Each structure stands twice: as C-alpha cells, then as structure tokens.
Amino acid sequence: MESAKSLCKKLLNFKNTVITGCEFYTDADSVNHIRIQARPSKWHENECPYCHRRCPGYDSRCRKPRIWRGLDWGTTLVEIEYQTHRIECPEHGVVVADIPWAYPGSGFTKDFDLTAAWFAVHLPRSVVAEYFRVDWETVGRCISRTKDVIEPEISHRLDNLVNIGIDETSYKKGHKYITVIVNHDTNTVVWVALGHGKSVLEKFYQQLTEEQRASIKVVTGDGAKWITECVDEFTPDCVRCVDQFHVVQWAMDTLDEVRRESWRDAYTQVKELKKANPRKPGRPKEDDPATQEIRQASEKADKIKNSSYALGKAPENLTEKQKIRVEMISKTDKRLYRAYCLKESLRLLLKLKDLGEAEVELKHWLWRASHSCIPAVYELYKKIKRHKDHILNAIRLGMSNARIEATNNKIKLIIRKAYGFRNIQNLIDMVYLVCSNLHIPLPNRKPILGL
C-alpha cells in the first residue's frame, strides 16, 4: 500500500522532488486546504532555473517558507510549502534556486499554469479566474508563462516565409491597434506588435536576416501607404498585392457615402415641400396634391435611408423586398443607382481569373468611374488607379487577405471573451497561442501526434 508521501507525489505529478510531510486545515471561509511540505532532491536543489547548471549556494534558506498553489484535488485546495534559497550562477548571476515543480517566478505549479492557460484559450478569463480561485490578472500571467515555456523563442516563425499578409486590428477604443503578420502558407501568426504604421512594420523587417527577407515573394494587405513603402524599402523584389476584399470594401464605403448624400438631398426636398405647403388645421384631404407629393417625397427619403443592406448585397442574394427597393432607386435616383452599378461591376471583375480580361475590364471600369460625375466615385477612381498594379497582382496570383481577416476575427473574439486586456503582452501571447499551431500540454494526458 502506498504511503501518504508517495501518494501525494503521484497526485502532484512531481519529479526530482521529495515530499517531507502534509497537513489538512480549514481557513476562515471554511475552505479545506492540504499543505504539502516538499523540497527538491539533493541532486537538483542547487540548479539554476534558466540553464539548469549546478551552482554554489549564495545565502541560507529564507526563514519564512514560500507557498505554491497546485491544482485542486476535488474540492480541496492544494498548497506546496518550501523554504527557498539563492544560488550564484556564472551566467545568470544571483537567482533563486530552481524549483522542480514550478516555472521561474511563478507562485503556481507547472501543471496549474498549463491547465489555466488551456482553459483561458477556450473560455472567458473571468470564468477561468473563478474556477481556479485566482484573480483574472493572474490568469494573464499564466498565459504568458505558458507561451514562454512552449515557445521560448519565436524567431523560428520568421524562417522560410514566402507569402505573408499584413494588417492592423483594433484591440481597444480610442484608436488602439496591433499589427498582425500572417503566413499564408501555414495560416499562422508569425509576428504581432503594438501599434501600427511604418515605424512598427519596420521593426518586423529589421528583425529579419538577409536570407529571410530574400525568401519573401508576396506581400498582401490593404492599400496603406506605409505597407508599400516598407515593402519597397526592405523587399523590393517581392510582389505587392491589394486583395479584392479591401477593394470591394472601398467601393462599399464610397457607395454608402453616395447613399447618404442622396438621402440628405431627398430629406432637404421634403423640408422644402413642407415649407412651401404649410399644413392647415385639421386632417388633410387624401386627394390633396400637395399632401401626396410630400408623402411620396418622404417615402423616397425613407427608402434611400434604409437601403444600405440592399445596395450592399450582391443582386443574386437580394430578397424580394430588397429587389423592389433597388428597382425604386434605379427609377428615382440615377446618381445612386449609377454608383451601385459601378460597385457591382468592380466586384465582378475582381473575380476574373484571366489576367488579360481583368486588365481590360479594370481599364473600362476606371474610364466609367472617371466620367461618372460623382465626386465620391471619382475619389474611388483615383485610389484604385493608384493601386491598379497591386490589384492586378492579386488577380494574377490568386492571393487575398482572407486568412488574415479571419485571424482578425479570432483576435476580436479573444478580446471579447476576456472583456478586454489591460496588459498588451497578455493579449499578444494569447494571439500566439490561439492563432498558430502551438499545443498546450495538459497534465497526465497522452501527447497528440504531430503536435
């Protein structure tokens, strides 16, 4: 039959450790605790926690023992007690001697950190904090320690990059952004940094070796000038692509701007009609021409105001009600309908696979947009003309930023589950854990092949 000490060691999943005793007690909140006295084995008690070299002692053991939290045993809260001491490492200086059951600087066991991080990847941090009986900020530190243990050096992510996507995403209100770079070939995040703009992206390129820069052949992104400038400066031989997602988004924004202008004009017309035909006391007659004209103008303004979804959808996806609304716009507002047709023709030409046909269609579209007599569309024309070569590159190579947009959605979900991040490093570590092929090992589980 196993002794109590051997049983504790097996349940704790400790190695290179000696259990010297244990005791039960109940705290003021009526929570049951088991406190286990442990120490490293003689051969491992003076190891450096970073290089695991045996080093000479620096001072005596502290008077007050230190406590580590372990995973609960059922409903019982587990604590490990040990009097730590410092050693003098030739490489790392004076540090606290390695504790076999905990990572350096942690107040929890290794199994606790890994399990808390695994839960945090799949559940909101507030739920994880409540279940593990810790503060939600402590969960963030568990995440960072787990990421550092699983992948202490992320520079290998920058090797053999060929097709990459660059984008920024907001993580907080007030124009707070992070820049994310995704490897299209592996669909994994290879680099994340706080902020956005040329100065931030330059840090990524400066980390790359000449060999790593030379391996990059395609860079996708939106039409941001700072992306193009960095690509031209650091990797001039690679192909710059502006994918169809962002181009269609530009057209949608332009169409919405034209729709708002049309609604303002229609609403102004309603006000002018009401002003020219002031309402008399009593209910107006149904056959009153002025009243009917005001009613029709008001209905037109309302339909234009509520046509955003109908104008934004592809014609084949419209409902019957939305088709009627678009047909009404085609008859009553030629300017808005012309902008809608230009948006649709641009969306369709971006789906072409033949580069020659796409180039001809894009040239024709640019001519139509430049002669549309719509200021917002003319601004879109100038923008697309400026990025014409990059758009054609995306069609020729069949590249898009769909992967990085999906990654951005994952990041938004991470932020929403955590109800926001105060520590940006916790967010970055979580992005690396969730948006890559890292696997958090759970204690006493069979390792998954290929991970």
Side-chain angles (χ1 to χ4, degrees):
M1 184 177 179
E2 296 281 355
S3 65
K5 294 179 181 179
S6 298
L7 182 62
C8 287
K9 186 174 180 179
K10 284 185 178 293
L11 291 174
L12 290 169
N13 193 30
F14 283 177
K15 296 180 180 179
N16 306 320
T17 304
V18 176
I19 305 298
T20 59
C22 62
E23 60 179 350
F24 286 93
Y25 73 94
T26 303
D27 63 17
D29 296 324
S30 300
V31 177
N32 295 323
H33 295 241
I34 179 172
R35 179 164 296 184
I36 301 168
Q37 290 79 37
R39 64 172 177 81
S41 61
K42 287 292 184 181
W43 187 259
H44 297 276
E45 66 178 357
N46 285 329
E47 285 187 353
C48 174
Y50 305 104
C51 61
H52 297 286
R53 178 188 304 175
R54 293 190 69 186
C55 305
Y58 181 77
D59 56 11
S60 59
R61 299 185 186 278
C62 61
R63 294 182 179 179
K64 186 177 180 180
R66 187 176 171 185
I67 306 296
W68 288 263
R69 271 282 310 279
L71 290 173
D72 292 354
W73 290 353
T75 59
T76 303
L77 194 146
V78 177
E79 299 171 343
I80 294 86
E81 180 181 85
Y82 173 62
Q83 290 178 297
T84 58
H85 67 286
R86 293 185 295 176
I87 58 171
E88 188 171 9
C89 177
E91 181 179 353
H92 299 97
V94 178
V95 293
V96 176
D98 181 48
I99 309 299
W101 57 81
Y103 296 122
S106 175
F108 305 91
T109 63
K110 294 177 179 179
D111 288 348
F112 188 101
D113 279 333
L114 293 172
T115 306
W118 188 91
F119 271 80
V121 166
H122 298 89
L123 296 172
R125 280 175 64 180
S126 57
V127 174
V128 179
E130 182 177 359
Y131 178 80
F132 284 92
R133 305 191 237 204
V134 294
D135 188 77
W136 67 275
E137 292 182 350
T138 302
V139 177
R141 290 191 286 271
C142 292
I143 292 168
S144 297
R145 278 193 295 269
T146 298
K147 184 265 167 189
D148 291 339
V149 169
I150 296 176
E151 191 179 35
E153 182 55 58
I154 66 170
S155 59
H156 73 276
R157 290 173 177 253
L158 307 179
D159 296 334
N160 304 317
L161 295 178
V162 179
N163 304 308
I164 63 172
I166 303 172
D167 202 1
E168 74 277 354
T169 184
S170 62
Y171 70 93
K172 197 175 182 180
K173 292 181 179 179
H175 300 286
K176 304 290 185 179
Y177 292 92
I178 56 174
T179 299
V180 182
I181 299 179
V182 170
N183 185 345
H184 284 296
D185 300 319
T186 60
N187 194 23
T188 57
V189 171
V190 297
W191 193 78
V192 186
L194 176 63
H196 69 123
K198 185 178 179 180
S199 60
V200 175
L201 189 56
E202 283 177 340
K203 296 177 183 177
F204 165 73
Y205 280 105
Q206 289 166 359
Q207 289 183 11
L208 302 177
T209 63
E210 290 298 328
E211 183 180 356
Q212 289 171 333
R213 292 180 190 175
S215 69
I216 299 176
K217 302 302 180 184
V218 178
V219 176
T220 66
D222 56 18
K225 185 179 179 181
W226 51 273
I227 296 179
T228 305
E229 289 177 349
C230 286
V231 170
D232 293 341
E233 179 181 352
F234 294 98
T235 53
D237 296 330
C238 79
V239 179
R240 169 80 164 96
C241 297
V242 175
D243 70 300
Q244 64 177 9
F245 174 85
H246 288 100
V247 178
V248 173
Q249 188 179 40
W250 298 342
M252 289 292 298
D253 293 341
T254 299
L255 178 60
D256 202 51
E257 184 178 346
V258 176
R259 182 188 62 82
R260 288 195 297 268
E261 290 177 359
S262 295
W263 174 77
R264 284 193 289 267
D265 292 344
Y267 186 67
T268 300
Q269 183 181 2
V270 172
K271 291 195 296 184
E272 289 176 352
L273 287 172
K274 288 182 177 180
K275 187 176 181 180
N277 301 278
R279 184 173 177 178
K280 298 178 182 179
R283 180 178 297 178
K285 296 181 179 180
E286 290 293 333
D287 57 350
D288 183 20
T291 302
Q292 291 181 356
E293 187 179 7
I294 293 173
R295 184 181 296 113
Q296 291 174 358
S298 181
E299 289 177 356
K300 175 187 174 182
D302 290 339
K303 288 181 179 180
I304 292 175
K305 181 179 180 180
N306 299 318
S307 63
S308 177
Y309 287 110
L311 294 174
K313 292 174 68 175
E316 61 271 18
N317 297 328
L318 293 174
T319 64
E320 289 300 322
K321 187 176 180 181
Q322 290 171 339
K323 288 179 181 178
I324 294 172
R325 185 157 293 180
V326 172
E327 186 177 354
M328 181 275 298
I329 290 174
S330 68
K331 295 177 180 178
T332 60
D333 196 321
K334 300 297 183 182
R335 179 183 61 176
L336 179 57
Y337 187 69
R338 190 160 63 250
Y340 169 74
C341 292
L342 284 169
K343 184 268 294 185
E344 279 302 309
S345 60
L346 178 63
R347 182 182 66 85
L348 292 175
L349 77 85
L350 291 173
K351 292 185 176 183
L352 296 174
K353 303 298 181 182
D354 184 79
L355 180 62
E357 184 182 358
E359 191 169 2
V360 171
E361 291 294 330
L362 183 57
K363 183 178 179 181
H364 178 59
W365 186 92
L366 288 171
W367 184 90
R368 290 174 59 198
S370 63
H371 291 75
S372 64
C373 299
I374 305 175
V377 174
Y378 188 75
E379 291 299 319
L380 176 64
Y381 150 77
K382 293 194 294 183
K383 191 172 187 178
I384 291 181
K385 184 180 180 181
R386 190 164 59 247
H387 295 285
K388 178 183 175 182
D389 293 338
H390 299 159
I391 295 170
L392 292 175
N393 286 339
I395 295 174
R396 174 171 61 88
L397 298 173
M399 298 297 295
S400 74
N401 246 26
R403 292 185 185 277
I404 196 165
E405 293 301 330
T407 299
N408 286 344
N409 286 336
K410 287 184 180 180
I411 293 172
K412 295 291 187 184
L413 180 59
I414 291 170
I415 296 169
R416 190 160 60 248
K417 284 198 305 182
Y419 296 96
F421 284 84
R422 293 183 183 178
N423 188 326
I424 187 63
Q425 189 59 47
N426 291 161
L427 171 60
I428 292 174
D429 291 335
M430 182 65 94
V431 170
Y432 280 130
L433 285 175
V434 175
C435 304
S436 61
N437 52 8
L438 294 180
H439 172 66
I440 302 175
L442 289 173
N444 199 29
R445 302 290 179 96
K446 182 180 178 180
I448 300 176
L449 298 178
L451 295 176

